Amino acid sequence: MTDSSSRKIVDSANKYNDFETRFYEWEDGMSSAGFKLELPQRHFEEFDWGVTGYNFGRVIGGVLTVSEHDIDRQYGNLFAMPDHIVIFIVIIGGMDCQCFGKRFQLKQGDILIQDMSQPIKIHVFPGDLRPRLCTYQYIIMPKHSLHFNVDIASLHGKTIPASSPINIILRNHFGTMVQVFDQMTEQEVLSTGEGAASVFLQTLHLVAGKKVEQPFAHSARLERICMFIENNLAQAINVEQLCKDFAISRSSLYRLFEPLGGIAQFIRSRRLLLAKRLLRASSMSDQSLATIAHQCGLELSALRRYFQEVYGATPSEMRTLFQKANTGHDIIDATHVNWVSSL
């Protein structure tokens, strides 16, 4: 059967004696989806939560039961885990959401799709019955799984009503995966994850309908600049050109990126994340490090230096670690942050 120590997490507030620890453990888990937890002081003493998480290899998911609270993905934490898609399925209670200036509500059975690189505010409220807790499921997948020609940004904030056939298929599929998880072998879990990723991604394809040519037309300038950078990492990117293309002054551009560590730091971090993805990809295993560095807009010497500074390992060492992980020789510590980082 499945090794629960590496592919399943069961945690709850009652394991921790003091509020600070209960709050920190919950907040740490929410950070895996780039969220910042906001809790009114009047709810401190009664704050309760429980989570069961599952790692299916290509898909991470689970069930959360928690007291009323707010979660907010904003500029300061916008790119904490930016390369992923997250899906919420409301089981008990509901969600009041604010996304790109629009307000909407999710009720029992509804589904919310999110691009982790985009801001959103969510008030999670409980059901009517005691104990007054909210329950929702979550599914996390990497953006690089998207093989179809749809920009996930166009789906950010999209909802699928509980009555929709697509919703029913997705909910039932994931519910069955969770229900039989403990009865599956390791290989069955990974194979199920592969199949589920295909089902979920095709579901997103159906929801999108067709590619949206300008998904950021109503988003803030920061998101538009970030997407431009993301789409041009292989090219030289300079401040002057950004200022010209987006009609913004140099000082305003610097202020805009201050919460993300500065414009230069942001570009470098995106290039390093791209390099990690390429080193992980089996399709790039025969490509030289110089080729990968070039595709990330870096010289090989810079790539090596940055990897050593940020990850404490060379690109060659990182590639070896990924290859070992792909063959199952390494076991990743069972935390949501580690799971999501390894997708």
Side-chain angles (χ1 to χ4, degrees), residues 37-323:
L37 175 62
E38 297 178 357
L39 187 67
Q41 189 167 2
R42 67 181 184 276
H43 292 161
F44 278 9
E45 292 302 321
E46 60 193 43
F47 185 58
D48 192 15
W49 58 268
V51 59
T52 303
Y54 305 89
N55 185 345
F56 290 92
R58 283 280 302 280
V59 174
I60 292 169
V63 184
L64 295 165
T65 298
V66 62
S67 302
E68 185 172 3
H69 65 286
D70 295 297
I71 45 181
D72 185 3
R73 190 189 300 115
Q74 55 187 350
Y75 291 157
N77 56 324
L78 194 59
F79 287 87
M81 290 290 180
D83 300 311
H84 302 84
I85 305 154
V86 62
I87 297 171
F88 284 167
I89 306 171
V90 179
I91 306 299
I92 299 175
M95 297 180 177
D96 287 319
C97 306
Q98 182 177 350
C99 180
F100 293 157
K102 296 182 179 179
R103 293 182 179 273
F104 52 93
Q105 187 175 96
L106 277 75
K107 298 180 180 179
Q108 184 174 347
D110 291 344
I111 289 175
L112 173 66
I113 302 169
Q114 301 170 63
D115 175 353
M116 283 196 190
S117 68
Q118 297 302 303
I120 193 170
K121 293 183 179 182
I122 303 174
H123 173 69
V124 182
F125 58 87
D128 296 329
L129 301 178
R130 292 186 178 277
R132 299 266 296 164
L133 297 172
C134 332
T135 300
Y136 56 99
Q137 296 172 326
Y138 62 92
I139 300 168
I140 301 175
M141 297 177 292
K143 288 183 188 176
H144 61 73
S145 296
L146 294 171
H147 299 302
F148 49 81
N149 192 29
V150 174
D151 191 331
I152 185 61
S154 68
L155 295 177
H156 181 61
K158 284 271 190 178
T159 61
I160 311 176
S163 59
S164 164
I166 295 175
N167 176 307
I168 295 169
I169 291 171
L170 194 153
R171 274 192 292 134
N172 288 342
H173 194 104
F174 182 67
T176 302
M177 289 169 61
V178 169
Q179 185 177 4
V180 303
F181 181 88
D182 291 332
Q183 283 72 54
M184 290 192 288
T185 65
E186 176 84 1
Q187 187 56 52
E188 287 171 341
V189 167
L190 295 176
S191 296
T192 298
E194 288 286 338
S198 177
V199 171
F200 298 155
L201 293 171
Q202 289 302 321
T203 298
L204 296 179
H205 196 181
L206 289 171
V207 174
K210 62 179 181 179
K211 183 176 179 181
V212 177
E213 297 297 334
Q214 293 181 319
F216 292 95
H218 302 292
S219 65
R221 180 181 283 174
L222 175 64
E223 285 80 49
R224 297 199 303 273
I225 298 175
C226 286
M227 183 54 68
F228 174 85
I229 292 171
E230 196 74 19
N231 291 335
N232 292 277
L233 290 174
Q235 313 302 321
I237 302 173
N238 60 71
V239 169
E240 290 75 14
Q241 191 61 44
L242 289 175
C243 291
K244 180 180 179 181
D245 290 346
F246 292 93
I248 186 173
S249 68
R250 180 186 289 261
S251 59
S252 295
L253 182 67
Y254 288 160
R255 283 196 300 272
L256 198 60
F257 277 84
E258 276 181 7
L260 302 181
I263 180 69
Q265 174 63 32
F266 176 77
I267 294 173
R268 189 181 81 162
S269 68
R270 302 310 301 160
R271 283 178 165 151
L272 291 183
L273 282 172
L274 174 60
K276 281 184 67 177
R277 289 203 302 269
L278 295 178
L279 289 171
R280 182 187 293 122
S282 58
S283 60
M284 298 292 292
S285 60
D286 61 341
Q287 298 295 311
S288 68
L289 294 178
T291 299
I292 289 176
H294 179 73
Q295 291 192 26
C296 300
L298 294 169
E299 296 293 332
L300 179 56
S301 58
L303 181 69
R304 286 174 172 153
R305 185 173 69 255
Y306 291 154
F307 259 67
Q308 196 67 54
E309 291 174 1
V310 175
Y311 305 121
T314 66
S316 296
E317 292 169 340
M318 189 72 73
R319 173 180 265 174
T320 300
L321 287 173
F322 287 144
Q323 290 172 343

